[in-house]
Amino acid sequence: MSAKALIETGLRAAEIPLARQVKIWARFTDEKADVAASLTRTVRALHKALPLDQELRALSIGSSGEPQFRLLHALCQKGLFLFDIDEKALATVSERLDRQMVKNVFPVQGDYLQDFADRDSALATLRAKLGDAPFDLICLHHCLYYCDVEQWPAFIETLYDAVLAPTGAMHLAMMSARETEEGTTTWLYNHFARKFFGAETSHDLLRLRDQLSNSTAVSDVCLNSETKQVHFWVDDFEQYMAVIWMILLYPDGHDYDLDQRTEIVEFVIRHFWEPRRKIVQTQDYLSIFKGPPPTS
């Protein structure tokens, strides 16, 4: 493919819908397996605090069309609620549920910023949309990017107080805000957001951990965190660039103009595509336990 054709392909990839970008990432990365491993450690600890015969009830917020579906479905026979704002993503999930005759998984449309804005809203949402019962497990995997970081503690405190069961766990996953190595997803985002908008990521789960550890609004809380690396590669430039645009939060986070998008595509061709360079993402995980502290 010529240089001109590559640039045109890279620009065209910017128009791929977010749900498809997420699906490409999920298909060609080891990230889902890594999230599953971290989530499984959290669930193992939760199981130790619950009666042996108790089935789990789980809520996955902002899961789009790619939740940890197989794992959560298997673990949460009492019910799995997939909560998302994206109608198309939920339609994809619904088609799969019908095709595979799955009965205990429930897609729910809503805006978590509104539906869990405070305790009253959360309790109303629980009654109206989520079966009117608290959840043993709540997952928030890459769903906080569109929420102001200053709102994070209050949002988590609301879920902890009003939505999580007296003995329960929350599992969060996000790109690390503290990674500085050149070529990682954090570095890529900061490089272009800083250059064109004077911005950089502040989406720091480890800072949230520290805030919650000092919060008086969450009682009986135990916090665990870990950091891992995951990798992405696909031998198709349009799909490769689709994931780059997802990382750069275009257009919902930043509206790069045509010249800026062209510069980004040229940079990726030169520094990533031509050298056949995998995308590396450093990822933070945060587990929040409510009730008896987990045992080792």
Side-chain angles (χ1 to χ4, degrees):
M1 190 181 293
S2 69
K4 181 180 178 181
L6 273 177
I7 292 170
E8 290 174 349
T9 299
L11 291 173
R12 188 167 61 246
E15 308 307 319
I16 292 175
L18 177 61
R20 189 179 159 209
Q21 293 173 349
V22 171
K23 194 171 186 66
I24 293 167
W25 167 262
R27 186 175 182 184
F28 295 101
T29 182
D30 58 349
E31 189 238 9
K32 293 301 176 184
D34 199 69
V35 172
S38 177
L39 176 58
T40 299
R41 287 189 285 274
T42 298
V43 173
R44 285 181 62 194
L46 178 60
H47 273 151
K48 291 182 179 181
L50 293 171
L52 184 62
D53 60 351
Q54 180 172 327
E55 298 284 3
L56 297 184
R57 191 170 187 271
L59 171 65
S60 179
I61 297 177
S63 55
S64 186
E66 286 291 337
Q68 292 291 324
F69 182 89
R70 290 180 180 88
L71 179 61
L72 286 172
H73 173 222
L75 289 172
C76 305
Q77 291 297 302
K78 197 173 180 180
L80 168 60
F81 288 73
L82 304 177
F83 185 98
D84 201 276
I85 197 171
D86 189 334
E87 286 186 61
K88 291 183 179 178
L90 291 176
T92 299
V93 172
S94 296
E95 185 279 329
R96 178 179 182 175
L97 297 178
D98 291 340
R99 172 167 39 87
Q100 297 182 340
M101 295 170 285
V102 176
K103 303 300 182 186
N104 65 325
V105 180
F106 309 97
V108 179
Q109 186 182 16
D111 182 344
Y112 72 79
L113 293 176
Q114 295 181 10
D115 288 348
F116 303 102
D118 51 39
R119 191 174 192 277
D120 289 343
S121 298
L123 290 172
T125 299
L126 202 63
R127 288 191 299 269
K129 297 183 178 182
L130 301 173
D132 199 18
F135 290 92
D136 307 296
L137 177 66
I138 300 175
C139 296
L140 299 102
H141 296 158
H142 301 292
C143 74
L144 294 179
Y145 292 113
Y146 303 104
C147 177
D148 190 319
V149 293
E150 300 308 318
Q151 294 179 273
W152 284 11
F155 173 57
I156 297 301
E157 288 164 2
T158 294
L159 292 177
Y160 187 92
D161 175 50
V163 183
L164 192 63
T167 299
M170 301 172 66
H171 186 258
L172 290 73
M174 289 196 76
M175 179 182 79
S176 173
R178 303 188 181 192
E179 178 61 80
T180 58
E181 183 179 347
E182 183 175 344
T184 58
T185 56
T186 307
W187 182 90
L188 269 170
Y189 173 83
N190 285 338
H191 177 75
F192 289 111
R194 191 183 295 124
K195 180 174 184 178
F196 295 132
F197 302 103
E200 60 182 27
T201 183
S202 57
H203 298 139
D204 189 352
L205 274 188
L206 301 186
R207 177 172 178 256
L208 175 63
R209 175 201 62 195
D210 296 341
Q211 291 171 318
L212 293 174
S213 68
N214 294 314
S215 172
T216 58
V218 289
S219 58
D220 299 321
V221 68
C222 181
L223 304 164
N224 289 335
S225 61
E226 56 184 336
T227 299
K228 299 292 185 67
Q229 281 195 337
V230 298
H231 308 82
F232 168 85
W233 172 261
V234 58
D235 196 17
D236 178 292
F237 187 62
E238 184 173 37
Q239 293 185 76
Y240 192 90
M241 276 304 309
V243 166
I244 295 290
W245 295 122
M246 180 190 77
I247 292 164
L248 300 184
L249 301 182
Y250 172 83
D252 293 327
H254 299 294
D255 192 10
Y256 300 96
D257 65 28
L258 179 58
D259 288 341
Q260 292 166 345
R261 278 178 278 151
T262 301
E263 182 177 333
I264 290 167
V265 173
E266 290 173 340
F267 181 93
V268 171
I269 292 170
R270 211 166 42 246
H271 295 279
F272 284 85
W273 183 250
E274 290 179 346
R276 311 284 290 180
R277 188 175 182 179
K278 292 180 181 178
I279 297 173
V280 177
Q281 176 153 297
T282 301
Q283 195 148 277
D284 290 331
Y285 298 106
L286 177 62
S287 297
I288 303 170
F289 296 96
K290 181 181 182 181
T295 56
S296 58

